[in-house]
Amino acid sequence: MDRIAVIARHAALEALRARLPLLLLAGLLLAAAGASFVSELAVIEGARARLLTYAALARVAAVCMLAAHVLAGITREFDDKCMDVFLALDLPRAHYILGKLSGFMLAALLTAIIVSLPLWWMAEPGAALQWTLALALELAVVAAFALFCAAAFAQFAPAAVLTLAFYGLARGLAGLQLMSAHPVSGAGSWQQEISRALVDALAWVMPALHRWPHTAWLAGEAPAWMAFAMDALQGLVYVALIATADRKSTRLNSSHVSESRMPSSA
């Protein structure tokens, strides 16, 4: 536990030293400016338009910045050979992964708090609290998957592409299900049935990021706490599964490192 706590503390301090809070504040200022512009264009309910626009823009900005921070931090450790030093120590792979994941969870919670601060003045306290917790959970899932991609590829570009594809698919899966269930043409054909079965299978294994956090919560449509608890449980289970995959990917990279150090035969 001491080793995990030290690694988690180092990962959390890295977020502060990388000026992640300052980058978030800059992104939130841009989101607030965009929300103010949209509210000026709205004919009625300008305050509601400002609130919902800010929540949507701030959510995307928080996800992108935190994912970029996780990917850059892990790939930098590979490039600077810090990962080789960790793998050479008497340190279990699970301790390293759990430490890094715990530090990134703290960074996700800090990001959610910073992003949701303006919402406590613009929305109801209960809805703002649910939105903040749901955003922290969503950021935790994204950070865990970004850690998995960075540990598996050890390169920023492919890890970033896969992370963005995962987030976009998880967010748009509800729309894909709706389109596959009610196609414009070809309804009842075997191609439509196969595509519908594939999309439904994806819905079983992908996290329901389209449900949390939802901008409609801030407009007075917050779900019951029991439903929110079920979504939170799903997110925590998904983070645990990704952490297990992270351990496997790190072990695979360690075998690659050891093979690269072996002298080649003449």
Side-chain angles (χ1 to χ4, degrees):
M1 293 302 297
D2 293 338
R3 295 177 178 181
I4 295 176
V6 170
I7 297 175
R9 179 176 178 272
H10 181 270
L13 289 177
E14 185 182 3
L16 297 177
R17 292 169 181 171
R19 296 179 175 85
L20 180 61
L22 294 180
L23 293 176
L24 284 174
L25 290 177
L28 295 185
L29 288 177
L30 293 177
S36 298
F37 177 74
V38 171
S39 65
E40 293 296 330
L41 296 179
V43 179
I44 58 175
E45 296 186 351
R48 180 174 181 176
R50 183 188 301 112
L51 172 64
L52 300 183
T53 304
Y54 170 81
L57 294 178
R59 178 186 185 182
V60 175
V63 169
C64 293
M65 290 184 183
L66 183 62
H69 167 71
V70 174
L71 295 173
I74 299 300
T75 53
R76 184 171 59 250
E77 289 189 356
F78 277 103
D79 295 338
D80 296 342
K81 304 302 179 181
C82 295
M83 185 64 69
D84 296 354
V85 176
F86 278 117
L87 297 177
L89 296 175
D90 185 17
L91 182 68
R93 308 291 186 267
H95 289 185
Y96 174 80
I97 291 299
L98 289 177
K100 283 292 185 181
L101 188 59
S102 300
F104 292 145
M105 296 302 102
L106 292 176
L109 181 60
L110 175 64
T111 301
I113 292 175
I114 294 176
V115 166
S116 61
L117 283 178
L119 300 178
W120 291 85
W121 281 272
M122 295 187 292
E124 294 293 331
L129 177 61
Q130 282 189 339
W131 197 89
T132 303
L133 295 177
L135 179 61
L137 190 63
E138 179 182 15
L139 293 176
V141 173
V142 173
F145 191 82
L147 175 61
F148 164 74
C149 294
F153 292 102
Q155 295 180 357
F156 184 85
V161 170
L162 186 57
T163 302
L164 291 177
F166 165 80
Y167 181 73
L169 180 61
R171 285 291 306 274
L173 197 56
L176 291 177
Q177 281 186 295
L178 184 61
M179 288 187 293
S180 63
H182 305 283
V184 177
S185 61
S189 61
W190 63 272
Q191 296 94 336
Q192 188 264 336
E193 294 297 331
I194 291 178
S195 63
R196 180 178 181 179
L198 291 176
V199 173
D200 291 339
L202 278 176
W204 277 99
V205 298
M206 294 291 291
L209 297 185
H210 62 279
R211 292 206 307 260
W212 32 277
H214 203 283
T215 53
W217 296 358
L218 303 173
E221 300 179 9
W225 281 103
M226 183 59 66
F228 177 79
M230 294 302 297
D231 291 337
L233 179 61
Q234 178 192 11
L236 294 177
V237 169
Y238 207 87
V239 169
L241 292 176
I242 297 177
T244 305
D246 285 336
R247 182 182 177 184
K248 299 297 182 181
S249 63
T250 307
R251 182 172 296 176
L252 179 62
N253 279 321
S254 66
S255 63
H256 291 339
V257 171
S258 61
E259 291 176 0
S260 63
R261 288 178 177 176
M262 295 176 60
S264 59
S265 58

